[in-house]
Amino acid sequence: MLEYLSPRSSATPQEAIEYLELHQAAQEFRLELEHRDRLEAYCQWYDQVATDHREALERMRLEANLLSWFNRRLD
């Protein structure tokens, strides 16, 4: 099989076309894998940021609201 993949000077036009099609398919497959890897990394990052923000929001909700002391209505 490796002999088939290596370019030969005596390759027929049909063999050259098949070689180029195989090369194109391999390139597309590699690009698809890279895209999926980048998407997976982004999804993991996004999930971590969302978790961090939820935790920060929960901490803020537990803190005393100091501004409410200044916004009290005097009745």
Side-chain angles (χ1 to χ4, degrees), residues 60-72:
M60 284 190 281
R61 285 180 175 161
L62 296 174
E63 292 174 356
N65 187 357
L66 298 177
L67 291 179
S68 67
W69 294 353
F70 298 108
N71 290 331
R72 290 187 190 167

Side-chain angles (χ1 to χ4, degrees), residues 4-37:
Y4 177 75
L5 294 178
S6 63
R8 298 184 313 235
S9 59
S10 63
T12 66
Q14 183 60 33
E15 289 175 333
I17 290 171
E18 290 174 6
Y19 174 78
L20 292 174
E21 289 173 347
L22 181 62
H23 179 71
Q24 180 67 30
Q27 287 284 57
E28 290 174 0
F29 181 74
R30 183 185 57 79
L31 291 173
E32 178 67 23
L33 288 180
E34 289 176 1
H35 171 72
R36 290 180 185 206
D37 288 344

